[in-house]
mmCIF file of all heavy atoms in Angstrom:
data_model
loop_
_atom_site.group_PDB
_atom_site.id
_atom_site.type_symbol
_atom_site.label_atom_id
_atom_site.label_comp_id
_atom_site.label_asym_id
_atom_site.label_seq_id
_atom_site.Cartn_x
_atom_site.Cartn_y
_atom_site.Cartn_z
ATOM 1 N N GLU A 25 7.784 61.776 111.823
ATOM 2 C CA GLU A 25 8.413 62.969 111.298
ATOM 3 C C GLU A 25 9.679 62.863 110.587
ATOM 4 O O GLU A 25 10.086 63.326 109.527
ATOM 5 C CB GLU A 25 8.377 64.100 112.309
ATOM 6 C CG GLU A 25 8.893 65.466 111.927
ATOM 7 C CD GLU A 25 7.906 66.093 110.995
ATOM 8 O OE1 GLU A 25 6.697 65.794 111.001
ATOM 9 O OE2 GLU A 25 8.426 67.004 110.173
ATOM 10 N N ALA A 26 10.529 62.020 111.377
ATOM 11 C CA ALA A 26 11.884 61.788 110.781
ATOM 12 C C ALA A 26 11.877 61.043 109.423
ATOM 13 O O ALA A 26 12.624 61.255 108.511
ATOM 14 C CB ALA A 26 12.792 61.130 111.905
ATOM 15 N N LEU A 27 10.883 60.095 109.416
ATOM 16 C CA LEU A 27 10.845 59.345 108.162
ATOM 17 C C LEU A 27 10.348 60.164 107.023
ATOM 18 O O LEU A 27 10.770 59.952 105.770
ATOM 19 C CB LEU A 27 9.844 58.064 108.456
ATOM 20 C CG LEU A 27 10.472 56.918 109.199
ATOM 21 C CD1 LEU A 27 9.351 55.972 109.562
ATOM 22 C CD2 LEU A 27 11.540 56.227 108.381
ATOM 23 N N ARG A 28 9.501 61.133 107.202
ATOM 24 C CA ARG A 28 8.872 61.987 106.187
ATOM 25 C C ARG A 28 10.208 62.705 105.581
ATOM 26 O O ARG A 28 10.126 63.037 104.429
ATOM 27 C CB ARG A 28 7.933 62.947 106.698
ATOM 28 C CG ARG A 28 6.589 62.406 106.794
ATOM 29 C CD ARG A 28 5.534 63.475 107.014
ATOM 30 N NE ARG A 28 5.512 64.027 108.361
ATOM 31 C CZ ARG A 28 4.881 63.521 109.426
ATOM 32 N NH1 ARG A 28 4.089 62.449 109.220
ATOM 33 N NH2 ARG A 28 4.988 63.984 110.528
ATOM 34 N N LEU A 29 11.179 63.006 106.361
ATOM 35 C CA LEU A 29 12.324 63.814 105.934
ATOM 36 C C LEU A 29 13.443 62.978 105.236
ATOM 37 O O LEU A 29 14.123 63.428 104.395
ATOM 38 C CB LEU A 29 12.956 64.541 107.008
ATOM 39 C CG LEU A 29 12.090 65.686 107.727
ATOM 40 C CD1 LEU A 29 12.788 66.229 109.055
ATOM 41 C CD2 LEU A 29 11.729 66.813 106.788
ATOM 42 N N THR A 30 13.410 61.730 105.729
ATOM 43 C CA THR A 30 14.576 60.898 105.174
ATOM 44 C C THR A 30 14.227 59.581 104.375
ATOM 45 O O THR A 30 15.132 59.001 103.807
ATOM 46 C CB THR A 30 15.463 60.381 106.438
ATOM 47 O OG1 THR A 30 14.501 59.549 107.264
ATOM 48 C CG2 THR A 30 15.929 61.620 107.210
ATOM 49 N N GLN A 31 13.018 59.233 104.461
ATOM 50 C CA GLN A 31 12.632 57.853 103.781
ATOM 51 C C GLN A 31 12.889 57.834 102.375
ATOM 52 O O GLN A 31 13.483 56.870 101.878
ATOM 53 C CB GLN A 31 11.178 57.531 104.077
ATOM 54 C CG GLN A 31 10.781 56.277 103.645
ATOM 55 C CD GLN A 31 9.435 55.782 104.175
ATOM 56 O OE1 GLN A 31 8.727 56.578 104.789
ATOM 57 N NE2 GLN A 31 8.923 54.560 103.866
ATOM 58 N N GLN A 32 12.605 58.935 101.686
ATOM 59 C CA GLN A 32 12.842 58.995 100.175
ATOM 60 C C GLN A 32 14.364 58.801 99.924
ATOM 61 O O GLN A 32 14.769 58.042 99.068
ATOM 62 C CB GLN A 32 12.316 60.332 99.614
ATOM 63 C CG GLN A 32 12.430 60.253 98.106
ATOM 64 C CD GLN A 32 11.558 59.294 97.497
ATOM 65 O OE1 GLN A 32 10.486 59.040 97.837
ATOM 66 N NE2 GLN A 32 12.045 58.601 96.414
ATOM 67 N N GLN A 33 15.219 59.531 100.731
ATOM 68 C CA GLN A 33 16.602 59.503 100.521
ATOM 69 C C GLN A 33 17.131 58.011 100.785
ATOM 70 O O GLN A 33 18.058 57.513 99.911
ATOM 71 C CB GLN A 33 17.426 60.447 101.364
ATOM 72 C CG GLN A 33 17.086 61.810 101.138
ATOM 73 C CD GLN A 33 17.897 62.749 102.180
ATOM 74 O OE1 GLN A 33 19.121 62.706 102.236
ATOM 75 N NE2 GLN A 33 17.182 63.537 102.907
ATOM 76 N N ILE A 34 16.648 57.394 101.757
ATOM 77 C CA ILE A 34 17.107 56.013 102.110
ATOM 78 C C ILE A 34 16.653 55.153 101.037
ATOM 79 O O ILE A 34 17.496 54.226 100.632
ATOM 80 C CB ILE A 34 16.514 55.679 103.508
ATOM 81 C CG1 ILE A 34 17.116 56.609 104.544
ATOM 82 C CG2 ILE A 34 16.858 54.287 103.894
ATOM 83 C CD1 ILE A 34 16.505 56.383 105.926
ATOM 84 N N GLU A 35 15.374 55.118 100.580
ATOM 85 C CA GLU A 35 14.950 54.140 99.651
ATOM 86 C C GLU A 35 15.544 54.381 98.262
ATOM 87 O O GLU A 35 15.684 53.459 97.445
ATOM 88 C CB GLU A 35 13.414 54.211 99.623
ATOM 89 C CG GLU A 35 12.749 53.812 100.794
ATOM 90 C CD GLU A 35 11.256 53.886 100.775
ATOM 91 O OE1 GLU A 35 10.770 54.645 99.937
ATOM 92 O OE2 GLU A 35 10.470 53.233 101.605
ATOM 93 N N ASN A 36 15.980 55.608 98.014
ATOM 94 C CA ASN A 36 16.762 55.772 96.654
ATOM 95 C C ASN A 36 18.026 55.045 96.663
ATOM 96 O O ASN A 36 18.576 54.840 95.564
ATOM 97 C CB ASN A 36 16.923 57.341 96.544
ATOM 98 C CG ASN A 36 15.665 58.149 96.184
ATOM 99 O OD1 ASN A 36 14.654 57.475 95.739
ATOM 100 N ND2 ASN A 36 15.764 59.394 96.341
ATOM 101 N N GLN A 37 18.610 54.721 97.805
ATOM 102 C CA GLN A 37 19.833 53.969 97.896
ATOM 103 C C GLN A 37 19.581 52.501 98.008
ATOM 104 O O GLN A 37 20.377 51.649 98.304
ATOM 105 C CB GLN A 37 20.661 54.315 99.101
ATOM 106 C CG GLN A 37 21.040 55.856 99.064
ATOM 107 C CD GLN A 37 21.894 56.222 97.925
ATOM 108 O OE1 GLN A 37 22.702 55.405 97.462
ATOM 109 N NE2 GLN A 37 21.624 57.458 97.355
ATOM 110 N N ARG A 38 18.319 52.114 97.635
ATOM 111 C CA ARG A 38 17.906 50.697 97.590
ATOM 112 C C ARG A 38 18.110 49.978 98.976
ATOM 113 O O ARG A 38 18.541 48.857 99.112
ATOM 114 C CB ARG A 38 18.634 49.827 96.464
ATOM 115 C CG ARG A 38 18.320 50.418 95.086
ATOM 116 C CD ARG A 38 19.062 49.631 94.031
ATOM 117 N NE ARG A 38 18.753 50.050 92.706
ATOM 118 C CZ ARG A 38 19.265 49.541 91.536
ATOM 119 N NH1 ARG A 38 20.047 48.432 91.706
ATOM 120 N NH2 ARG A 38 18.950 49.995 90.410
ATOM 121 N N ILE A 39 17.653 50.845 99.880
ATOM 122 C CA ILE A 39 17.754 50.257 101.415
ATOM 123 C C ILE A 39 16.346 50.054 101.846
ATOM 124 O O ILE A 39 15.450 51.063 101.789
ATOM 125 C CB ILE A 39 18.392 51.250 102.311
ATOM 126 C CG1 ILE A 39 19.904 51.467 101.743
ATOM 127 C CG2 ILE A 39 18.463 50.767 103.694
ATOM 128 C CD1 ILE A 39 20.620 52.650 102.542
ATOM 129 N N ALA A 40 16.070 48.852 102.264
ATOM 130 C CA ALA A 40 14.619 48.576 102.787
ATOM 131 C C ALA A 40 14.515 49.042 104.153
ATOM 132 O O ALA A 40 15.431 48.848 104.983
ATOM 133 C CB ALA A 40 14.390 47.024 102.722
ATOM 134 N N ILE A 41 13.304 49.674 104.457
ATOM 135 C CA ILE A 41 13.029 50.120 105.872
ATOM 136 C C ILE A 41 11.999 49.309 106.445
ATOM 137 O O ILE A 41 10.920 49.142 105.757
ATOM 138 C CB ILE A 41 12.651 51.598 105.810
ATOM 139 C CG1 ILE A 41 13.817 52.454 105.148
ATOM 140 C CG2 ILE A 41 12.275 52.138 107.196
ATOM 141 C CD1 ILE A 41 13.333 53.966 105.066
ATOM 142 N N HIS A 42 12.241 48.644 107.623
ATOM 143 C CA HIS A 42 11.142 47.906 108.271
ATOM 144 C C HIS A 42 10.721 48.674 109.575
ATOM 145 O O HIS A 42 11.650 48.999 110.402
ATOM 146 C CB HIS A 42 11.758 46.566 108.690
ATOM 147 C CG HIS A 42 12.222 45.728 107.532
ATOM 148 N ND1 HIS A 42 11.341 45.006 106.684
ATOM 149 C CD2 HIS A 42 13.473 45.543 107.009
ATOM 150 C CE1 HIS A 42 12.051 44.394 105.721
ATOM 151 N NE2 HIS A 42 13.386 44.768 105.871
ATOM 152 N N ILE A 43 9.490 49.004 109.543
ATOM 153 C CA ILE A 43 8.968 49.887 110.580
ATOM 154 C C ILE A 43 8.132 49.050 111.588
ATOM 155 O O ILE A 43 7.101 48.389 111.104
ATOM 156 C CB ILE A 43 8.166 51.040 110.099
ATOM 157 C CG1 ILE A 43 9.018 51.815 109.161
ATOM 158 C CG2 ILE A 43 7.678 51.931 111.217
ATOM 159 C CD1 ILE A 43 8.294 52.814 108.351
ATOM 160 N N ASP A 44 8.390 49.090 112.844
ATOM 161 C CA ASP A 44 7.771 48.298 113.947
ATOM 162 C C ASP A 44 7.624 49.182 115.100
ATOM 163 O O ASP A 44 8.278 49.130 116.026
ATOM 164 C CB ASP A 44 8.517 47.014 114.420
ATOM 165 C CG ASP A 44 7.857 46.278 115.310
ATOM 166 O OD1 ASP A 44 6.657 46.385 115.615
ATOM 167 O OD2 ASP A 44 8.534 45.391 116.022
ATOM 168 N N LEU A 45 6.483 49.982 114.982
ATOM 169 C CA LEU A 45 6.083 50.997 116.040
ATOM 170 C C LEU A 45 5.079 50.555 116.860
ATOM 171 O O LEU A 45 4.037 49.986 116.354
ATOM 172 C CB LEU A 45 5.699 52.357 115.461
ATOM 173 C CG LEU A 45 6.724 53.025 114.488
ATOM 174 C CD1 LEU A 45 6.174 54.390 113.997
ATOM 175 C CD2 LEU A 45 8.138 53.144 115.133
ATOM 176 N N ASP A 46 5.202 50.494 118.237
ATOM 177 C CA ASP A 46 4.283 50.031 119.127
ATOM 178 C C ASP A 46 3.047 50.917 119.182
ATOM 179 O O ASP A 46 3.182 52.134 119.599
ATOM 180 C CB ASP A 46 4.810 49.918 120.599
ATOM 181 C CG ASP A 46 3.993 49.297 121.557
ATOM 182 O OD1 ASP A 46 2.710 49.000 121.242
ATOM 183 O OD2 ASP A 46 4.405 49.131 122.745
ATOM 184 N N PRO A 47 1.797 50.559 118.734
ATOM 185 C CA PRO A 47 0.675 51.467 118.723
ATOM 186 C C PRO A 47 0.245 51.899 120.131
ATOM 187 O O PRO A 47 -0.438 52.902 120.255
ATOM 188 C CB PRO A 47 -0.358 50.690 117.935
ATOM 189 C CG PRO A 47 -0.010 49.177 118.144
ATOM 190 C CD PRO A 47 1.506 49.163 118.222
ATOM 191 N N ALA A 48 0.613 51.004 121.096
ATOM 192 C CA ALA A 48 0.090 51.346 122.516
ATOM 193 C C ALA A 48 1.253 52.060 123.248
ATOM 194 O O ALA A 48 1.198 52.110 124.474
ATOM 195 C CB ALA A 48 -0.221 50.104 123.190
ATOM 196 N N LEU A 49 2.205 52.657 122.492
ATOM 197 C CA LEU A 49 3.350 53.368 123.185
ATOM 198 C C LEU A 49 2.789 54.523 123.995
ATOM 199 O O LEU A 49 2.067 55.389 123.414
ATOM 200 C CB LEU A 49 4.341 53.811 122.126
ATOM 201 C CG LEU A 49 5.690 54.105 122.653
ATOM 202 C CD1 LEU A 49 6.423 52.892 123.155
ATOM 203 C CD2 LEU A 49 6.542 54.740 121.613
ATOM 204 N N PRO A 50 3.152 54.661 125.217
ATOM 205 C CA PRO A 50 2.760 55.776 126.057
ATOM 206 C C PRO A 50 3.226 57.114 125.630
ATOM 207 O O PRO A 50 4.328 57.168 124.895
ATOM 208 C CB PRO A 50 3.210 55.430 127.471
ATOM 209 C CG PRO A 50 3.473 53.992 127.432
ATOM 210 C CD PRO A 50 3.950 53.657 126.018
ATOM 211 N N LEU A 51 2.620 58.213 125.987
ATOM 212 C CA LEU A 51 3.111 59.537 125.631
ATOM 213 C C LEU A 51 4.166 59.875 126.606
ATOM 214 O O LEU A 51 4.202 59.192 127.680
ATOM 215 C CB LEU A 51 2.041 60.504 125.646
ATOM 216 C CG LEU A 51 0.850 60.332 124.599
ATOM 217 C CD1 LEU A 51 -0.228 61.382 124.792
ATOM 218 C CD2 LEU A 51 1.376 60.324 123.154
ATOM 219 N N LEU A 52 5.049 60.894 126.329
ATOM 220 C CA LEU A 52 6.056 61.235 127.204
ATOM 221 C C LEU A 52 6.140 62.770 127.294
ATOM 222 O O LEU A 52 5.516 63.460 126.400
ATOM 223 C CB LEU A 52 7.444 60.701 126.820
ATOM 224 C CG LEU A 52 8.124 61.387 125.703
ATOM 225 C CD1 LEU A 52 9.638 61.188 125.837
ATOM 226 C CD2 LEU A 52 7.672 60.775 124.386
ATOM 227 N N ASN A 53 6.827 63.310 128.298
ATOM 228 C CA ASN A 53 7.020 64.807 128.343
ATOM 229 C C ASN A 53 8.326 65.044 127.670
ATOM 230 O O ASN A 53 9.405 64.766 128.256
ATOM 231 C CB ASN A 53 6.964 65.150 129.847
ATOM 232 C CG ASN A 53 7.058 66.718 129.996
ATOM 233 O OD1 ASN A 53 6.543 67.455 129.189
ATOM 234 N ND2 ASN A 53 7.825 67.077 131.018
ATOM 235 N N GLY A 54 8.302 65.630 126.491
ATOM 236 C CA GLY A 54 9.514 66.015 125.782
ATOM 237 C C GLY A 54 9.266 66.933 124.610
ATOM 238 O O GLY A 54 8.233 67.602 124.595
ATOM 239 N N ASN A 55 10.248 67.073 123.804
ATOM 240 C CA ASN A 55 10.193 68.002 122.722
ATOM 241 C C ASN A 55 10.154 67.173 121.412
ATOM 242 O O ASN A 55 11.188 66.580 121.042
ATOM 243 C CB ASN A 55 11.380 68.989 122.698
ATOM 244 C CG ASN A 55 11.247 70.027 121.608
ATOM 245 O OD1 ASN A 55 11.569 69.769 120.487
ATOM 246 N ND2 ASN A 55 10.674 71.132 121.962
ATOM 247 N N LEU A 56 9.069 67.342 120.631
ATOM 248 C CA LEU A 56 8.900 66.441 119.445
ATOM 249 C C LEU A 56 9.958 66.788 118.449
ATOM 250 O O LEU A 56 10.455 65.876 117.721
ATOM 251 C CB LEU A 56 7.533 66.668 118.782
ATOM 252 C CG LEU A 56 7.180 65.819 117.627
ATOM 253 C CD1 LEU A 56 7.089 64.373 118.013
ATOM 254 C CD2 LEU A 56 5.827 66.286 117.056
ATOM 255 N N GLN A 57 10.314 68.128 118.272
ATOM 256 C CA GLN A 57 11.311 68.489 117.264
ATOM 257 C C GLN A 57 12.732 67.858 117.509
ATOM 258 O O GLN A 57 13.381 67.358 116.697
ATOM 259 C CB GLN A 57 11.382 70.031 117.156
ATOM 260 C CG GLN A 57 12.420 70.522 116.086
ATOM 261 C CD GLN A 57 12.451 71.973 116.041
ATOM 262 O OE1 GLN A 57 11.631 72.694 116.797
ATOM 263 N NE2 GLN A 57 13.414 72.629 115.305
ATOM 264 N N GLN A 58 12.978 67.917 118.890
ATOM 265 C CA GLN A 58 14.350 67.384 119.320
ATOM 266 C C GLN A 58 14.414 65.922 119.031
ATOM 267 O O GLN A 58 15.419 65.321 118.579
ATOM 268 C CB GLN A 58 14.670 67.758 120.669
ATOM 269 C CG GLN A 58 15.088 69.260 120.877
ATOM 270 C CD GLN A 58 15.475 69.448 122.324
ATOM 271 O OE1 GLN A 58 14.744 69.193 123.303
ATOM 272 N NE2 GLN A 58 16.617 70.174 122.473
ATOM 273 N N LEU A 59 13.322 65.170 119.485
ATOM 274 C CA LEU A 59 13.248 63.819 119.352
ATOM 275 C C LEU A 59 13.335 63.383 117.921
ATOM 276 O O LEU A 59 13.947 62.314 117.500
ATOM 277 C CB LEU A 59 11.989 63.225 120.064
ATOM 278 C CG LEU A 59 12.041 63.362 121.587
ATOM 279 C CD1 LEU A 59 10.684 62.931 122.100
ATOM 280 C CD2 LEU A 59 13.164 62.553 122.240
ATOM 281 N N SER A 60 12.780 64.132 117.088
ATOM 282 C CA SER A 60 12.674 63.868 115.623
ATOM 283 C C SER A 60 14.104 64.047 115.154
ATOM 284 O O SER A 60 14.522 63.354 114.235
ATOM 285 C CB SER A 60 11.737 64.798 114.806
ATOM 286 O OG SER A 60 11.754 64.515 113.507
ATOM 287 N N GLN A 61 14.822 65.028 115.610
ATOM 288 C CA GLN A 61 16.217 65.242 115.181
ATOM 289 C C GLN A 61 17.118 64.085 115.490
ATOM 290 O O GLN A 61 17.947 63.647 114.638
ATOM 291 C CB GLN A 61 16.769 66.555 115.890
ATOM 292 C CG GLN A 61 18.161 66.857 115.340
ATOM 293 C CD GLN A 61 18.704 68.168 115.905
ATOM 294 O OE1 GLN A 61 18.024 68.830 116.675
ATOM 295 N NE2 GLN A 61 19.982 68.545 115.673
ATOM 296 N N ILE A 62 16.915 63.430 116.630
ATOM 297 C CA ILE A 62 17.684 62.274 117.030
ATOM 298 C C ILE A 62 17.403 61.233 115.963
ATOM 299 O O ILE A 62 18.358 60.502 115.479
ATOM 300 C CB ILE A 62 17.277 61.741 118.447
ATOM 301 C CG1 ILE A 62 17.750 62.698 119.496
ATOM 302 C CG2 ILE A 62 17.920 60.379 118.671
ATOM 303 C CD1 ILE A 62 17.374 62.331 120.886
ATOM 304 N N ALA A 63 16.105 60.947 115.733
ATOM 305 C CA ALA A 63 15.832 59.933 114.772
ATOM 306 C C ALA A 63 16.318 60.134 113.323
ATOM 307 O O ALA A 63 16.895 59.300 112.659
ATOM 308 C CB ALA A 63 14.275 59.749 114.647
ATOM 309 N N VAL A 64 16.277 61.491 112.915
ATOM 310 C CA VAL A 64 16.926 61.834 111.613
ATOM 311 C C VAL A 64 18.308 61.498 111.604
ATOM 312 O O VAL A 64 18.845 61.013 110.626
ATOM 313 C CB VAL A 64 16.666 63.259 111.259
ATOM 314 C CG1 VAL A 64 17.445 63.716 110.138
ATOM 315 C CG2 VAL A 64 15.126 63.580 111.027
ATOM 316 N N ASN A 65 19.121 61.871 112.674
ATOM 317 C CA ASN A 65 20.553 61.733 112.750
ATOM 318 C C ASN A 65 20.886 60.201 112.694
ATOM 319 O O ASN A 65 21.820 59.745 111.920
ATOM 320 C CB ASN A 65 21.130 62.319 113.931
ATOM 321 C CG ASN A 65 21.073 63.860 113.910
ATOM 322 O OD1 ASN A 65 21.124 64.424 112.840
ATOM 323 N ND2 ASN A 65 21.131 64.430 115.089
ATOM 324 N N LEU A 66 20.096 59.389 113.426
ATOM 325 C CA LEU A 66 20.422 57.965 113.421
ATOM 326 C C LEU A 66 20.015 57.275 112.103
ATOM 327 O O LEU A 66 20.821 56.398 111.617
ATOM 328 C CB LEU A 66 19.592 57.364 114.616
ATOM 329 C CG LEU A 66 19.947 57.787 116.044
ATOM 330 C CD1 LEU A 66 19.124 57.010 117.017
ATOM 331 C CD2 LEU A 66 21.473 57.615 116.319
ATOM 332 N N LEU A 67 18.944 57.726 111.387
ATOM 333 C CA LEU A 67 18.675 57.134 110.213
ATOM 334 C C LEU A 67 19.609 57.522 109.153
ATOM 335 O O LEU A 67 20.004 56.685 108.267
ATOM 336 C CB LEU A 67 17.176 57.611 109.821
ATOM 337 C CG LEU A 67 16.038 56.991 110.555
ATOM 338 C CD1 LEU A 67 14.769 57.723 110.186
ATOM 339 C CD2 LEU A 67 15.861 55.507 110.228
ATOM 340 N N MET A 68 20.111 58.829 109.176
ATOM 341 C CA MET A 68 21.067 59.143 108.051
ATOM 342 C C MET A 68 22.398 58.425 108.355
ATOM 343 O O MET A 68 23.137 58.074 107.374
ATOM 344 C CB MET A 68 21.291 60.722 108.090
ATOM 345 C CG MET A 68 20.092 61.487 107.805
ATOM 346 S SD MET A 68 19.362 60.958 106.143
ATOM 347 C CE MET A 68 20.683 61.509 105.020
ATOM 348 N N ASN A 69 22.785 58.283 109.673
ATOM 349 C CA ASN A 69 23.970 57.443 109.929
ATOM 350 C C ASN A 69 23.927 55.989 109.399
ATOM 351 O O ASN A 69 24.818 55.511 108.877
ATOM 352 C CB ASN A 69 24.255 57.464 111.419
ATOM 353 C CG ASN A 69 24.953 58.726 111.824
ATOM 354 O OD1 ASN A 69 25.328 59.538 111.026
ATOM 355 N ND2 ASN A 69 24.964 58.966 113.153
#
């Protein structure tokens, strides 16, 4: 979700993004919107 919001901006700056997401990653009890906000903030930084 964070990449959908930021990927275009990042790649427009000629920055390569390497994605390595574990497909077997367990689920957790949390808030998807908040966790996505963390990822957005870190990607923009």
Side-chain angles (χ1 to χ4, degrees):
E25 179 67 24
L27 284 171
R28 277 193 288 271
L29 296 173
T30 61
Q31 187 167 2
Q32 187 63 43
Q33 298 181 55
I34 294 172
E35 290 178 344
N36 286 343
Q37 301 299 321
R38 298 182 180 180
I39 299 172
I41 301 177
H42 302 279
I43 304 171
D44 181 16
L45 305 183
D46 185 355
L49 198 69
L51 300 177
L52 77 153
N53 184 35
N55 184 275
L56 185 65
Q57 182 181 354
Q58 284 186 310
L59 295 173
S60 179
Q61 184 178 353
I62 292 177
V64 168
N65 289 337
L66 297 181
L67 286 169
M68 295 307 293
N69 280 350

